[in-house]
């Protein structure tokens, strides 16, 4: 609501291209996080179109490329994502000490995982983990660690997958967010089931069920759609 009805209109009124693009990118991230990938793509393209023409080489554009790449991967368009990863890398290359490299490697790892290239996915994620530790990026570090779970799962290494998830729960950073907590609990139920630990699988499934209020989740998504539709209408007017 704040982004749509306050931030974007004020940034546009001020003629601040970078701020406007940044807020569009934030909207794209929120929509992606709520699995509205088509809507997210619209705002990612708005961001990129604004900045490629007026602020090429900017950090905000580089981050927009990474966010849009993630969204393409979730949509099953890994090849489109690779084009944006290459553009982001081109902006990063002159700055080898940039603190944005862990984010880049996170998305590169996501790309390789989607392509089934688990060897390179692990290399990318390990690079990101090393740098995230160096730069004290705790949240991103745990996101990178969690992405290794996908590799273990695809390789049917369920024991390692379970151990990694338990370490993520114990560390605590990611599970502060309820959506992350639901995902991790659900995956712990799944991996324990694969391992035949039916009692533990049941316990994690119950924890997931307690958190998973589908009606509330549905209402939240409806509200996001309603706000976005109102914003589009206002822009058209």
């Amino acid at each position: 609501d704040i982004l749509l009805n306050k931030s974007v209109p004020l940034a546009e009124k001020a003629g601040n291209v970078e701020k406007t693009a940044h807020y569009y990118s934030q909207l794209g991230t929120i929509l992606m996080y709520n699995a509205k990938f088509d809507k997210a793509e619209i705002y990612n393209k708005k961001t990129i179109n604004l900045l490629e023409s007026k602020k090429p080489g900017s950090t905000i554009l580089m981050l927009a490329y990474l966010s849009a790449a993630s969204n393409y991967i979730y949509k099953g368009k890994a090849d489109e994502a690779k084009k944006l990863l290459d553009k982001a890398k081109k902006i990063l290359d002159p700055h080898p000490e940039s603190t944005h490299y862990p984010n880049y490697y996170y998305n590169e790892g996501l790309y390789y995982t989607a392509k089934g290239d688990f060897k390179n996915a692990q290399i990318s994620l390990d690079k990101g983990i090393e740098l995230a530790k160096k730069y004290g990026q705790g949240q991103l570090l745990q996101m990178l660690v969690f992405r290794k779970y996908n590799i273990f799962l695809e390789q049917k290494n369920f024991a390692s997958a379970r151990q990694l998830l338990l370490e993520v729960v114990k560390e605590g950073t990611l599970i502060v967010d309820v959506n992350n907590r639901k995902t991790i609990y659900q995956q712990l139920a799944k991996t324990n089931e694969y391992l035949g630990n039916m009692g533990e699988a049941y316990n994690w499934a119950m924890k997931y069920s307690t958190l998973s209020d589908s009606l509330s989740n549905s209402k939240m998504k409806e509200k996001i759609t309603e706000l976005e539709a109102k914003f589009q209408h206002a822009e058209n007017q």
Side-chain angles (χ1 to χ4, degrees):
D1 185 27
I2 291 167
L3 282 167
L4 285 168
N5 296 314
K6 298 270 198 300
S7 305
V8 170
L10 285 170
E12 287 180 335
K13 190 175 179 180
N16 191 322
V17 171
E18 281 192 295
K19 282 288 185 188
T20 304
H22 172 67
Y23 296 140
Y24 279 144
S25 184
Q26 293 290 297
L27 282 165
T29 300
I30 290 169
L31 290 161
M32 177 177 69
Y33 191 58
N34 284 278
K36 293 185 173 293
F37 305 123
D38 290 339
K39 289 283 189 184
E41 186 177 342
I42 291 168
Y43 287 102
N44 289 335
K45 283 182 175 177
K46 278 176 176 274
T47 304
I48 291 167
N49 289 340
L50 262 179
L51 293 175
E52 280 187 336
S53 61
K54 297 184 178 177
K55 296 284 183 178
S58 74
T59 299
I60 294 171
L61 177 57
M62 185 273 297
L63 293 172
Y65 285 145
L66 294 180
S67 182
S70 288
N71 195 63
Y72 273 133
I73 291 165
Y74 295 137
K75 287 187 70 175
K77 295 182 175 180
D79 292 337
E80 290 298 314
K82 182 64 167 65
K83 294 173 188 174
L84 297 182
L85 282 172
D86 290 344
K87 288 184 176 183
K89 187 69 162 57
K90 191 174 179 180
I91 294 174
L92 276 171
D93 275 341
H95 312 284
E97 297 300 314
S98 172
T99 56
H100 294 297
Y101 266 103
N103 190 6
Y104 170 80
Y105 286 126
Y106 173 85
N107 284 280
E108 188 177 67
L110 196 63
Y111 163 74
Y112 281 127
T113 302
K115 296 294 283 185
D117 185 349
F118 304 123
K119 180 181 177 182
N120 276 317
Q122 188 139 353
I123 289 170
S124 295
L125 293 173
D126 285 340
K127 285 179 181 177
I129 287 168
E130 184 181 343
L131 289 174
K133 286 178 180 176
K134 177 182 175 180
Y135 297 137
Q137 297 168 331
Q139 176 88 8
L140 185 52
L141 172 61
Q142 290 304 305
M143 288 169 64
L144 284 153
V145 169
F146 179 72
R147 277 293 155 208
K148 292 181 78 168
Y149 162 77
N150 294 103
I151 297 171
F152 291 141
L153 198 65
E154 292 288 345
Q155 294 173 330
K156 301 190 185 307
N157 186 351
F158 302 125
S160 294
R162 173 183 171 275
Q163 185 57 40
L164 185 147
L165 290 175
L166 289 173
E167 288 170 7
V168 168
V169 170
K170 184 178 179 182
E171 195 278 340
T173 300
L174 287 187
I175 62 168
V176 168
D177 178 90
V178 69
N179 282 327
N180 289 340
R181 194 153 71 246
K182 280 164 57 178
T183 298
I184 291 166
Y185 288 175
Q186 184 183 38
Q187 298 308 309
L188 273 164
K190 183 193 293 186
T191 50
N192 277 288
E193 183 182 356
Y194 288 145
L195 288 164
N197 303 334
M198 301 313 294
E200 192 173 342
Y202 173 78
N203 289 336
W204 288 112
M206 288 301 293
K207 287 186 177 186
Y208 167 76
S209 180
T210 303
L211 284 173
S212 189
D213 182 346
S214 59
L215 180 63
S216 171
N217 192 39
S218 171
K219 284 182 177 176
M220 179 183 69
K221 289 185 178 181
E222 284 175 18
K223 189 65 180 173
I224 288 172
T225 300
E226 179 190 329
L227 283 167
E228 200 266 342
K230 284 180 179 176
F231 173 72
Q232 287 293 347
H233 178 71
E235 282 231 310
N236 290 339
Q237 292 300 315

